[in-house]
Amino acid sequence: STKKWQGRAGIRFEQTRLFTQFKDTALQVPDFNNWLPNLLSRYTIDDKNSLTYSYTTRIARPYIFYLNPYINYIDSFNISYGNPNLLPEVTHNHTLDYNFNKRSLFAGISLVYRRNRQSFEEIRVLRPDKVTETTYQNIGRADMWSLNFSFRYNPSRKLNLGNTVTVTYVTRNSPALNLEKSGFLWQNSFNGSYRFAKGWSVESYVYYESRSINLQTTRTDYLFYNLLLTKTLLNEKLNITFRMDGFFDPWFYRTTEINSGSFFQTTEYRSINRYFRLAFSWKFGKQDLRTPVTRAAESGD
C-alpha cells in the first residue's frame, strides 16, 4: 500500500470429496479440485471518495439432490433424477466501484461483469412414449453485465434510509441444446426507519425482483414488503413489536413457464403472503465490555 493506492492479491486451492455408496459400485461422485484467485486494487481520491477494482473467482457446488441418480416417479408422465457426474459452477467476477462516504450519506455506483461456466441447467426431455425426463447437466454458460446504484442516508438517530437498485443484462446459452436466452433483469430493495418521541418507532423493508431468465424456464416477478411498529418501555428494557408482512395481498402467486422446444408447460404457485406477528422482548442486565487491565498498566510502566 501507498498513500493513495492499496493492493492485495491471493489464490487458494479447494478440494471437495464426497463419499457415497450406490448399489452400482462402479458409480462414483468425482472429487472437485479448484484454484480460486482474487485481486483487489483501491485508489483513494480523498477522505470521502474512493475507486476500487476487484476480481474474484467463486464456485458453487451441486446440491445432493442434483447428484442423486435415484429415479423419482412423480407421476405416470414425469420422472426426475440427478446426475452424479456434475461439476461445480465456476464464476468469474469483475467489479469496479465508486464510493462517496460522508457521515450522514453514503452513495455508491458499481459496474459488474460476471462470467459463468459449467452452470447447472435443469434439462427436460420428452421421450417418444410421452414421458418427460428431468435431470441436470453442466451445459450452461452465462454472461452478465450489472449496474448497481446504492445509497444510505442517516442524518440523525431518528431517520435512517437506504436503497439499492440493480439493473442486469444477462445472456445464457448452451451449444449442447442449441439454445440462447437474453434480456434485462432488475432488483430493488428499500429499507427505512424513523424514531418518534416516547419510545415509538416505525420500520419498513421492500424488495422487488423482476422475472428470471433461464434456458428453458422463466419465472414471473416477486415482491415482498413489511411494516414494523415498535414501542419501547421501562427504560428500553421491554420492546413490543407489531409486524405486518404482505398486508395488502393475502396470497402470493408466481408462475413458472417451461419451454423446451418439444413441449410447453405452465405452473402457478400460490403461497400465504399476509402475516401478522406480535413480539415481546426483554433485556436483562446491562452489557458492559471492558478491556482487561495488565499489571504493567496498573503499575504505570
Side-chain angles (χ1 to χ4, degrees):
S1 63
T2 64
K3 187 177 180 180
K4 291 285 187 179
W5 288 92
Q6 289 179 324
R8 185 179 67 227
I11 190 170
R12 75 177 187 272
F13 173 75
E14 289 191 9
Q15 182 186 62
T16 303
R17 301 183 65 187
L18 300 177
F19 299 93
T20 56
Q21 291 182 345
F22 299 105
K23 290 183 178 180
D24 183 358
T25 57
L27 189 61
Q28 297 293 328
V29 177
D31 297 341
F32 306 146
N33 300 292
N34 297 92
W35 290 95
L36 305 174
N38 62 83
L39 176 67
L40 175 68
S41 178
R42 177 181 291 115
Y43 177 69
T44 303
I45 302 172
D46 52 37
D47 59 345
K48 298 183 181 66
N49 299 271
S50 63
L51 193 65
T52 304
Y53 165 76
S54 64
Y55 165 72
T56 57
T57 306
R58 298 180 181 178
I59 61 172
R61 301 172 183 85
Y63 297 108
I64 292 298
F65 64 88
Y66 284 4
L67 300 169
N68 190 355
Y70 172 80
I71 298 178
N72 178 21
Y73 291 89
I74 302 171
D75 53 49
S76 58
F77 293 100
N78 293 276
I79 64 174
S80 65
Y81 54 89
N83 179 4
N85 295 312
L86 282 179
L87 297 174
E89 289 185 357
V90 180
T91 304
H92 304 271
N93 291 302
H94 300 265
T95 305
L96 184 63
D97 287 317
Y98 167 74
N99 293 324
F100 172 81
N101 198 353
K102 202 176 178 181
R103 284 190 175 182
S104 61
L105 176 65
F106 168 84
I109 301 175
S110 300
L111 178 64
V112 181
Y113 171 63
R114 185 175 297 115
R115 181 173 178 263
N116 184 292
R117 295 297 180 264
Q118 300 178 182
S119 63
F120 317 130
E121 290 294 337
E122 191 177 51
I123 303 302
R124 293 172 175 83
V125 178
L126 184 63
R127 301 191 321 200
D129 58 358
K130 305 303 181 182
V131 174
T132 301
E133 290 186 355
T134 302
T135 188
Y136 303 89
Q137 294 183 25
N138 290 108
I139 58 174
R141 298 180 181 179
D143 292 277
M144 289 169 276
W145 288 91
S146 298
L147 194 60
N148 180 286
F149 303 91
S150 61
F151 86 92
R152 185 187 70 250
Y153 182 58
N154 187 15
S156 65
R157 292 188 58 190
K158 290 185 177 182
L159 179 64
N160 190 358
L161 298 174
N163 194 64
T164 300
V165 179
T166 303
V167 180
T168 302
Y169 184 79
V170 58
T171 300
R172 300 184 185 275
N173 64 77
S174 172
L177 296 178
N178 194 26
L179 287 176
E180 181 172 320
K181 290 285 187 69
S182 61
F184 281 97
L185 311 171
W186 71 283
Q187 298 174 334
N188 185 49
S189 62
F190 168 83
N191 63 283
S193 63
Y194 188 83
R195 292 186 179 185
F196 298 93
K198 298 182 180 180
W200 289 95
S201 64
V202 63
E203 182 179 352
S204 180
Y205 175 74
V206 181
Y207 175 78
Y208 176 79
E209 177 183 295
S210 67
R211 61 167 189 152
S212 64
I213 300 176
N214 293 300
L215 284 176
Q216 292 184 334
T217 307
T218 58
R219 285 190 304 174
T220 53
D221 56 352
Y222 171 74
L223 174 65
F224 172 82
Y225 56 91
N226 65 17
L227 184 67
L228 291 80
L229 183 64
T230 302
K231 171 65 175 174
T232 301
L233 300 167
L234 303 178
N235 237 0
E236 298 187 353
K237 289 186 175 181
L238 175 63
N239 286 332
I240 304 174
T241 301
F242 179 60
R243 173 173 171 170
M244 300 178 290
D245 292 358
F247 43 88
F248 288 123
D249 302 291
W251 299 100
F252 170 73
Y253 298 88
R254 198 166 196 183
T255 302
T256 300
E257 293 183 354
I258 303 170
N259 189 353
S260 70
S262 59
F263 73 99
F264 178 82
Q265 177 180 316
T266 300
T267 306
E268 185 177 70
Y269 298 90
R270 187 183 80 161
S271 59
I272 296 176
N273 190 54
R274 181 182 292 167
Y275 287 94
F276 298 97
R277 298 176 177 88
L278 184 63
F280 300 87
S281 64
W282 179 272
K283 295 180 181 179
F284 293 92
K286 181 181 178 182
Q287 188 177 18
D288 189 10
L289 301 177
R290 296 182 179 180
T291 303
V293 179
T294 62
R295 290 184 178 274
E298 288 177 338
S299 61
D301 295 336

